[in-house]
Amino acid sequence: MAERTVVVASRVGLHARPAMLFTQVVAAGGGAVTIARPGQEPVDASSILLVMSMGVKNGAEVVLAGEDTALLDRLVEMLETDLDAE
Amino acid sequence: MRVITGVGVGRGAVLGPVARAHPVPHVPAGAPAHSDPEVAAAHLAATFDAVADSLQERAEAAQGTLRDVLHATSLMAKDPAFASQSTAKVRAGTDPALAVWEVAGQFIDMFTAAGGYLAERATDLASVRDRVVARLQGLPEPGVPALWRPSVVVAEDLSPADTAVLDLSLVLGIVIEKGGPTSHTAIIAGQLGLPCVVRAGDAASLRDGDEVAVDAARGTVTVDPDDVARAAVRRRCQSLATLAEDTAAGATSDGHAVQLLANIGTADDAERLTDLAVQGVGLFRTEVLFLDASTAPTEDDQAAVYARALTALGDRKVVIRTLDAGADKPLSFVTQPGEENPALGVRGYRLIRTAPGLMDAQLAAIARAARQTGEHPWVMAPMIATVDEAAEFASRARAAGIGTVGVMVEVPAVALRAREVLAEVDFVSVGTNDLAQYTMATDRLRGELADLLDIWQPAVLDLVAATAAAGLDLGKPVGVCGESAGDPVMALALTGMGITSLSMSPASVPGVRFALRLHTLDQCRQIAAAARAAGSAARARAAALALVDPQARELLALD
């Protein structure tokens, strides 16, 4: 199980459009990935409801975990860009 | 043939088949568990998939923001946590509909408590929940079905989201069981010129495909109309179409000019005012620009929208109203959370107390659009209550470079002090819906109190007349930009009081023009005096109507 810690760059945090894009990539990647705030219980990263419920704001740290390291790296790259930019 | 009555909005009439919007399902609290939980869980999982697929289909058929919203909603229907938590409850013995209701409820509570973006998503999630529950109960999905032929949409009520997904090219008219004449649906229908009847409680009995004749002027819905009723509707459609071809400037029969203007909400609306039947815009509501946004639109974005509207209207008059948010139009990035009486709180011009930058950016954007287009928009502020507020707004607007500055008269305090207020600004415009709300201490959104909100209430007429008199004394324009300006009888009374411009939904203009042209200014004054001498709203309108030319009464169905 690999882990990645990343700071969310999206201006509006991991809500709405960014959360939708993020969970879509997780689901399309087919890999089981979890996402957590440091020190909290990880949740299924393919669930837009669970991801939005975390209330992750701009600049917050999240921890991704899963077996597929290529997918994890791709997700880290996503979160490091401003997903709300059109 | 059966006649259902309600409150009509507009003057139009139309014949067509009913397309029934389906209500939100209810979940009985004590529903028995399914005999085989595994079968029930599998059926529930399949139902989630079916709802996701149908939402995705609708998303692909839609465009723009609606497409994004439907797509995000379909993802919620496909959400692994939503489905797995619901099916787990079913396996543990809970009724499937109840399980979906409870799981959705947890997320909805969480989103609502978080506010902002997430609170908006709670509505999407509730719509997924309702669709899944409806399917489980063997009911059609809630909301307006996809229209396949021109239809009269019938609903208990329509939310803004329901209205947004309507294919307007196929909507002939709207009938709703609840709501009032100033409700969201009624205003939208008025803007679009769709015949609309609200508060038609018995419309609950209408079914898909029933043939109905909707008469907005009379507030009636006739089921299975006979030949006589059909002919009456056709005749009125024809005469209204004839009136709509008249593009002369508004005036009484003896030549007293009254400007006939339109109320609009977007630059698209301005671009639709291509015919010259409307002399300009008396109320450009700018909050539409802000309401869908999660952050304030920039000065650049706003200037581009205002410039589009000004270009579309060319030399015609345009009155832009600054942001009127708060109360029933909350704004995610500025509205104060937890206001107990938002209609009496920080709304309209009062937002300057908590977010002064919004007003300054808007004034700068309007001034820039004016420079770019070479047009000269008038600008007014809503929800002014004191002479000092009017003076402060005028100095800010003039400092931004705006030439003609005014304020709305919606608060009785301003009508009572109209002379002093008019001394500070170039014009005022009476918003009759809000003026009635604040004069009669009656919430605009309470349909059951519609009789108190009646603009014909003597106290409301007195305040409008006092404002008009101040304008005549000071030689400054006093307009009316509430929906009441579109009632031909009221338009005559307002003209008699000294109101100089009437702004209404564009569809109401031809009827008002026709009524004005059949009366002299002196007759209008007599109509106003008769109304003001009456002791109640109903008697005031009856007294005014009794003096209206029979030809106008007949053709405009004013009885």
Side-chain angles (χ1 to χ4, degrees), chain A residues 12 20 24 46-50, chain B residues 71 75 79-81 107 111 117:
Chain A
V12 297
M20 185 172 97
Q24 274 180 302
S46 69
S47 164
I48 187 170
L49 293 177
L50 294 178
Chain B
H71 182 57
L75 285 183
D79 193 273
F107 285 111
F111 289 177
Y117 261 144

Side-chain angles (χ1 to χ4, degrees), chain B residues 516-530:
Chain B
L516 270 179
R517 205 207 306 267
L518 290 179
H519 299 82
T520 61
L521 177 57
D522 201 48
Q523 284 173 316
C524 292
R525 288 185 179 134
Q526 287 167 24
I527 290 170

Side-chain angles (χ1 to χ4, degrees), chain B residues 226-548:
Chain B
D226 60 19
D227 289 346
V228 176
R230 286 169 184 275
V233 166
R234 291 209 187 89
R235 208 165 44 238
R236 193 122 55 73
C237 289
Q238 273 166 10
S239 52
L240 289 176
T242 309
L243 295 187
E245 286 169 14
D246 185 350
T247 58
T252 58
S253 60
D254 53 340
H256 172 72
V258 181
Q259 284 182 333
L260 301 179
L261 309 170
N263 296 341
I264 64 168
T266 63
D268 287 350
D269 292 344
E271 285 169 355
R272 270 196 288 271
L273 292 177
T274 46
D275 66 68
L276 298 170
V278 171
Q279 289 169 263
V281 165
L283 172 62
F284 180 3
R285 301 183 172 95
T286 54
E287 43 281 2
V288 179
L289 262 170
F290 293 79
L291 291 178
D292 294 337
S294 48
T295 54
T298 63
E299 187 185 316
D300 289 354
D301 293 347
Q302 289 189 61
V305 172
Y306 304 142
R308 254 182 74 202
L310 293 176
T311 303
L313 289 153
D315 290 340
R316 290 188 276 176
K317 175 175 169 178
V318 179
V319 184
I320 302 177
R321 179 173 71 186
T322 57
L323 180 61
D324 186 21
D328 56 324
K329 293 172 280 197
L331 247 173
S332 57
F333 50 93
V334 66
T335 306
Q336 307 264 304
E339 273 196 328
E340 286 194 12
N341 296 301
L344 303 178
V346 182
R347 60 165 294 201
Y349 180 73
R350 299 170 180 188
L351 287 169
I352 204 158
R353 294 161 188 251
T354 54
L358 277 180
M359 167 76 74
D360 289 332
Q362 188 171 24
L363 291 173
I366 295 170
R368 197 202 301 178
R371 283 196 305 276
Q372 280 171 359
T373 58
E375 304 297 341
H376 301 282
W378 295 19
V379 178
M380 64 184 180
M383 200 61 190
I384 293 288
T386 69
V387 176
D388 283 353
E389 283 177 342
E392 190 195 54
F393 174 70
S395 85
R396 275 179 189 257
R398 291 191 179 115
I402 289 156
T404 309
V405 182
V407 298
M408 295 281 293
V409 179
E410 298 163 293
V411 179
V414 170
L416 292 169
R417 286 269 151 178
R419 263 179 196 75
E420 291 78 3
V421 169
L422 268 168
E424 300 291 341
V425 295
D426 304 307
F427 71 99
V428 296
S429 183
V430 184
T432 44
N433 288 339
D434 270 327
L435 183 61
Q437 157 168 282
Y438 293 120
T439 304
M440 304 306 295
T442 302
D443 190 331
R444 279 176 63 175
L445 304 179
R446 304 305 303 191
E448 69 269 43
L449 300 177
D451 58 314
L452 292 177
L453 276 169
D454 196 329
I455 167 93
W456 292 96
Q457 285 286 352
V460 181
L461 293 180
D462 283 352
L463 290 172
V464 176
T467 310
L472 289 174
D473 279 0
L474 276 76
K476 291 186 177 180
V478 177
V480 166
C481 61
E483 292 302 318
S484 64
D487 169 4
V489 187
M490 178 53 82
L492 296 172
L494 293 172
T495 300
M497 291 178 199
I499 294 295
T500 56
S501 68
L502 299 167
S503 192
M504 61 200 86
S505 58
S508 300
V509 169
V512 169
R513 169 185 286 111
F514 178 69
L516 270 179
R517 205 207 306 267
L518 290 179
H519 299 82
T520 61
L521 177 57
D522 201 48
Q523 284 173 316
C524 292
R525 288 185 179 134
Q526 287 167 24
I527 290 170
R532 292 192 59 208
S536 75
R539 287 198 290 277
R541 186 166 196 277
L545 185 59
L547 296 174
V548 171

Side-chain angles (χ1 to χ4, degrees), chain B residues 97-121:
Chain B
L98 187 57
V100 171
W101 203 267
E102 288 177 353
V103 171
Q106 288 167 11
F107 285 111
I108 288 171
D109 290 349
M110 201 166 4
F111 289 177
T112 308
Y117 261 144
L118 287 179
E120 289 164 29
R121 299 286 80 75

